[in-house]
Amino acid sequence: MKRKVGALEKVDADFSYKDEFLKQYSQYETQREIFLQAPSSATDAGIISFRELIDFVSHVADCYPIEAAQFPEELMKIINLHHKDLESELREKIIGSLVLLRRKEIIDSSTLLNTLFSILISTPSKNLRTLLFQKILSDLRTSNANATNHRLNRTIQSVLFTLVSSDPESAKGLWAVKITRELWKRQIWSDSKAVGIMKEACLADNEKIVVGAVNFFLGGDKEREELEDESSDEEAVDVGRLKHQMGINKKSKKKARAVDHAIATVKKKERKKKQPHPLNFSAFHLLHDPQGFAETLFSKHLQNTKSKLNLDQKLLVLQLVSRLIGLHKLTVLSFYSYFLKYLTPRQPSVTSFLASLAQASHSLVPPDVLEPLIQKIANEFVSEAAAAEVASAGLNAIREICARQPLAMNDTLLQDLVMYKKSKDKGVMMAAKGLLGLYREVGADMLKKRDRGKAAAMGLRSGERKEQRFGEEVGGEIEGIELLEEWKEEELRRKRLEMGLPSDLELGEEKIDDENDAGDWEIDEDDSDDSVGWIDVDSDLDINISDSDDDTPAAKKAKQESPRPGQNSTKDNTLQDESATRKSESKLATTRILTPADFAKLAELRLAASLTSHLPSSSRKQPARAQRRHQDDPLTAEAIEGLASLSKKATKEEKLALAKDGKPERSEHRSTQARRKEKKEQLGQSTTNREKARKKNFMMTLGKAKGKQKRSLVERGRVLKAHVERGKRGGKRGNRGM
C-alpha cells in the first residue's frame, strides 16, 4: 500500500488517476458519514476501512488540492469532537495525517498546533497526551530548524501565557510549563517571552505548576548546558573507514547511501563550527521587574499562612527568591527576618535555609539587618556544646554570608569565631580557618595582629588595603589585566638586561618600547603624538589648596625644608609604600590601547592562572571560595555541609569513592594484544594471515600437515629455497622497495 502511494505521489495528476482518486474520495466520504452517525458503535471492519482511506487521501491530497480542500477541516472536526470515543489506532492515524498535511504545507503550523493543543489539555487518555506532546514539540522544532519562526513562536507563546494566567488553580497550565521548559532546553525559545510564561506560572495557585516553574529557574540553564555538551560529545563519523569498507566489501546501494549520509553529517558539523556561538542568557537576566517578582513570590508563597505548599516546595521557592535577591542585588528587608525562626539545628533541612540566607546576602544589604542573623547562627550552631557537624555548618554559613557582606560581622564575634581554628575536630578547624582567610582578604583590620598574616599586615601598613565602606562598588575592569601588566614588566626587564641596561625602571620608561612596537597590530598605523611620551612639568610651589585653617600646611613645610640625616629611612619607606600602592592598581587598560596580540596573550595568561588555581599546591594562596564562585552559580546545601564530612569517620567504601572522584573510569585489565585487536575491530581493519591461520578449522589444515610430513629431503630443500627467494623479493606480491 505504501509503495503504491509513494509511486502515486510522483506521478503527475492526470485524468486517469483523478477518476481513481475521486472514487476513493467518495468512499471516504461515505465511510465518514457512517462513522459520524455512531462513532462509539462502529464495527472493526468499518474502522479499518476508514483508517486506510484517511491514510490514502492524506498522502495524495497535495496532488488534488481542489477536490480535497475540505479534507483537513473534516479531520480536525472529527478529532476535536470525538477524540474520547475514537479507537486508539484510528485516533493516532488522524493525528499522523494532520502532521503529514502540515509537512506538505496544506495546513499551516498555527492551525495544527492550536488543534493539537486544545485536545492535549482536555483528553483523559495518557497515551494520547504523550503522543500530542511529542507532535507539538516536533512541529515547533521543525518550524524553527532553518530560521527562527518569530510569528509562530509569538502565537504559541501567547496561547501558553493565556492558559497559565486565565485559570491559576487549574492543572492545565502544567502543559505550558512542560512545553516551555523543553523548548528552552533545546534553545528553540530563548527570549524574554518564554521567561514571562514561567514567571506567571510561578505565581499560580496549583502546586504542580509552581514547582515546575520554580525548577525551571533553578535548573533550566544547567539542563540546556548538559544537552549542549551531550550533542558536542557525539562520536565523530569516520568517513575514511566507511570508504575503506566500501572498497573491500561487496558494493551495495545501502552502503553507498551510508557513505553519503556520513559525508553530509560531517559537512553539517563543519558548518556548525563556523557559525557564531549564540548568546545564551540565563533566565534570571531576562526577567522583567525582578524586584516586583521577588516581592510577590515571597508574599504569596512564603509569608502567606494559607499557602498550600509543603516544606520541600517552600524551600524551592525560598531558593528562587534568594537567588533573585543575590543576583540582582534587590532590597527585600522583610525577607531576612523570615529566617529567624528556622535557624536552629533541630530544624529539618536547616542547611538549605542557611544556604538560601547566604545566597540572598549582597553588598547593598544593610549590615544592621544581617548582624542579628549572624549572631543567631553563632549562638545556635557554634559553641563548645554543639556537635562538630553543627559547628562546621554554622561557621561555613557565617563565612558565606560575610563573603558577600563583610560589614555584617563585628570585631568581638569575629575574634571569638577565629579561636575555633585550634579545635581538635578537623571540620571545625578548617571552617574557622576559612573564615580567618576571608577576613585576611576583606577586613584584616578587624583581626588581632597575630591573626592577620604577613600579606595582610604588610597591606595594612602600606595602605594598599583600605577599609570597606557600605555601598561602595569596585569599578569594573578587564579580567586578568594585572597578569598582562606583570608579564609586560618582566619582558621589558628581560630585554633591558639583554641590552646591558639596568633592570630598574623609572616611571614611564617601561612604555617607550611597547608603544613604538606596531608589530602587534594586523595593519600598519601612522605614528601618533602619544608615542612621544609624557612631558615632565615642574610643579608650582606657590600654588596650594587646603581645607585646613592653618596658613602654612605641614606638607608644604616638609617639601621646602631640607631633609635631616635621620629622616632618610622614613622617606624611603614612604616612597616604597607609594610605589606598592601604585602597582596594586592596574592602569594598563586606561593608559594604552591593547593590541590583538595583547588580548591573545591575556587569554593565554588567564588560562594558565586558571589551571594553576586548581592545583593542590596553590590552594593556600587562593582567595576565599565564595569570592571565586561566579554570581550566576547557586549556593547549595552541600556547600554548607562540605567540611562537616571531615568531622565524622568515613568508611572504607566512602574513602574509595572519594579517592576515585574526579578520576577517569578505569577499564578491566587486558593484554596489549587484546587491546590492539579491539582497536582494529573498532577501526574496521582486517587481521593478518597468521592470525587467520590460527582460527582456521583443524580438519581443514590436517591434509596440508600430512602432506608436509610425506615430503622427501629434496622437496624440503626446494621449498625452503623458494621461501628464501620469495622473502628477498618482498613476499608473493614483491612489495619490497615500493
Side-chain angles (χ1 to χ4, degrees), residues 421-466:
K421 67 180 182 179
K422 299 179 181 180
S423 175
K424 295 182 179 179
D425 185 80
K426 191 173 183 181
V428 178
M429 180 261 294
M430 293 291 288
K433 284 187 176 180
L435 182 64
L436 174 62
L438 170 67
Y439 271 91
R440 283 178 176 175
E441 294 287 334
V442 299
D445 54 328
M446 299 174 65
L447 297 168
K448 293 182 179 179
K449 289 186 178 180
R450 65 170 182 268
D451 295 330
R452 290 175 181 175
K454 181 179 178 182
M458 292 178 65
L460 288 174
R461 192 178 300 115
S462 63
E464 180 181 348
R465 301 193 180 187
K466 301 177 182 178

Side-chain angles (χ1 to χ4, degrees), residues 253-266:
K253 291 183 179 180
K254 182 179 179 182
K255 292 178 181 177
R257 285 196 299 268
V259 173
D260 295 338
H261 180 69
I263 293 173
T265 305
V266 171

Side-chain angles (χ1 to χ4, degrees), residues 543-561:
I543 299 174
N544 180 45
I545 299 174
S546 177
D547 295 334
S548 62
D549 297 334
D550 194 0
D551 293 334
T552 56
K556 184 176 178 182
K557 291 179 180 178
K559 207 172 194 178
Q560 292 176 350
E561 293 177 357

Side-chain angles (χ1 to χ4, degrees), residues 306-334:
K306 297 181 180 180
S307 177
K308 300 177 183 178
L309 303 180
N310 56 30
L311 180 62
D312 294 336
Q313 294 168 346
K314 283 186 177 181
L315 276 174
L316 290 176
V317 178
L318 190 68
Q319 291 174 16
L320 175 57
V321 177
S322 64
R323 286 197 66 183
L324 285 170
I325 294 174
L327 183 60
H328 294 281
K329 294 189 176 182
L330 308 177
T331 304
V332 187
L333 298 181
S334 59

Side-chain angles (χ1 to χ4, degrees), residues 479-609:
E479 183 182 357
I481 190 66
E482 66 279 356
L483 300 174
L484 182 63
E485 188 174 13
E486 291 176 4
W487 177 80
K488 282 185 172 294
E489 290 178 359
E490 292 176 1
E491 285 293 310
L492 190 57
R493 192 176 292 110
R494 182 181 58 82
K495 289 180 183 179
R496 292 178 65 87
L497 288 175
E498 290 177 357
M499 296 170 61
L501 299 175
S503 61
D504 296 333
L505 305 177
E506 296 293 335
L507 182 63
E509 283 187 11
E510 67 271 10
K511 301 179 182 178
I512 296 176
D513 296 337
D514 284 345
E515 291 292 339
N516 293 330
D517 186 11
D520 294 343
W521 295 90
E522 296 182 357
I523 57 175
D524 295 331
E525 296 186 354
D526 298 331
D527 295 337
S528 60
D529 295 339
D530 297 337
S531 60
V532 179
W534 295 96
I535 301 174
D536 294 330
V537 180
D538 294 333
S539 60
D540 193 355
L541 298 177
D542 296 335
I543 299 174
N544 180 45
I545 299 174
S546 177
D547 295 334
S548 62
D549 297 334
D550 194 0
D551 293 334
T552 56
K556 184 176 178 182
K557 291 179 180 178
K559 207 172 194 178
Q560 292 176 350
E561 293 177 357
S562 60
R564 298 177 182 178
Q567 294 178 345
N568 289 335
S569 60
T570 307
K571 186 175 181 180
D572 293 341
N573 291 337
T574 306
L575 292 174
Q576 289 178 2
D577 295 343
E578 289 179 358
S579 63
T581 307
R582 191 186 309 117
K583 287 183 180 179
S584 64
E585 299 175 357
S586 177
K587 297 181 180 179
L588 182 63
T590 57
T591 55
R592 64 166 292 171
I593 299 174
L594 299 181
T595 63
D598 290 337
F599 283 110
K601 188 64 182 179
L602 180 60
E604 181 182 344
L605 293 172
R606 278 185 201 157
L607 179 61

Side-chain angles (χ1 to χ4, degrees), residues 237-410:
V237 180
D238 192 352
V239 182
R241 174 188 170 188
L242 292 174
K243 286 185 176 180
H244 176 71
Q245 292 179 348
M246 183 73 179
I248 293 177
N249 300 331
K250 182 180 178 181
K251 296 177 176 60
S252 63
K253 291 183 179 180
K254 182 179 179 182
K255 292 178 181 177
R257 285 196 299 268
V259 173
D260 295 338
H261 180 69
I263 293 173
T265 305
V266 171
K267 289 182 178 179
K268 186 177 180 181
K269 287 185 177 181
E270 290 296 328
R271 285 196 301 269
K272 280 187 176 181
K273 288 180 182 178
K274 294 178 182 178
Q275 290 177 354
H277 193 275
L279 295 175
N280 295 329
F281 289 103
S282 172
F284 289 102
H285 297 288
L286 296 175
L287 273 171
H288 176 67
D289 188 19
Q291 175 76 35
F293 178 49
E295 291 177 354
T296 309
L297 203 62
F298 174 60
S299 61
K300 183 170 185 177
H301 295 306
L302 297 178
Q303 279 187 324
N304 188 9
T305 56
K306 297 181 180 180
S307 177
K308 300 177 183 178
L309 303 180
N310 56 30
L311 180 62
D312 294 336
Q313 294 168 346
K314 283 186 177 181
L315 276 174
L316 290 176
V317 178
L318 190 68
Q319 291 174 16
L320 175 57
V321 177
S322 64
R323 286 197 66 183
L324 285 170
I325 294 174
L327 183 60
H328 294 281
K329 294 189 176 182
L330 308 177
T331 304
V332 187
L333 298 181
S334 59
F335 180 74
Y336 302 97
S337 59
Y338 175 79
F339 286 94
L340 284 172
K341 60 182 178 181
Y342 296 106
L343 297 181
T344 58
R346 296 177 297 278
Q347 171 66 37
S349 304
V350 66
T351 51
S352 298
F353 284 99
L354 292 173
S356 299
L357 174 59
Q359 203 164 224
S361 305
H362 54 83
S363 59
L364 300 182
V365 179
D368 299 339
V369 176
L370 292 176
E371 190 172 353
L373 294 170
I374 294 178
Q375 191 70 47
K376 177 78 180 293
I377 296 173
N379 294 337
E380 293 283 346
F381 290 83
V382 189
S383 65
E384 296 293 340
E389 294 87 350
V390 175
S392 176
L395 286 169
N396 279 340
I398 293 173
R399 177 176 54 82
E400 295 289 349
I401 295 171
C402 295
R404 292 159 174 81
Q405 179 52 287
L407 301 177
M409 177 70 71
N410 56 62

Side-chain angles (χ1 to χ4, degrees), residues 18 84 109 120 132 195 265 285 362 370 433 589 600 632 682:
K18 185 175 182 180
K84 297 180 181 179
S109 291
L120 175 66
L132 292 172
V195 179
T265 305
H285 297 288
H362 54 83
L370 292 176
K433 284 187 176 180
D632 287 349
Q682 290 178 353

Side-chain angles (χ1 to χ4, degrees), residues 19 31 114 133 218 427 436 493 551 615 658 678 691 717:
D19 294 338
Q31 291 288 344
N114 287 326
F133 182 70
L218 296 178
L436 174 62
R493 192 176 292 110
D551 293 334
L615 295 176
L658 186 63
E678 183 185 5
E691 291 174 349

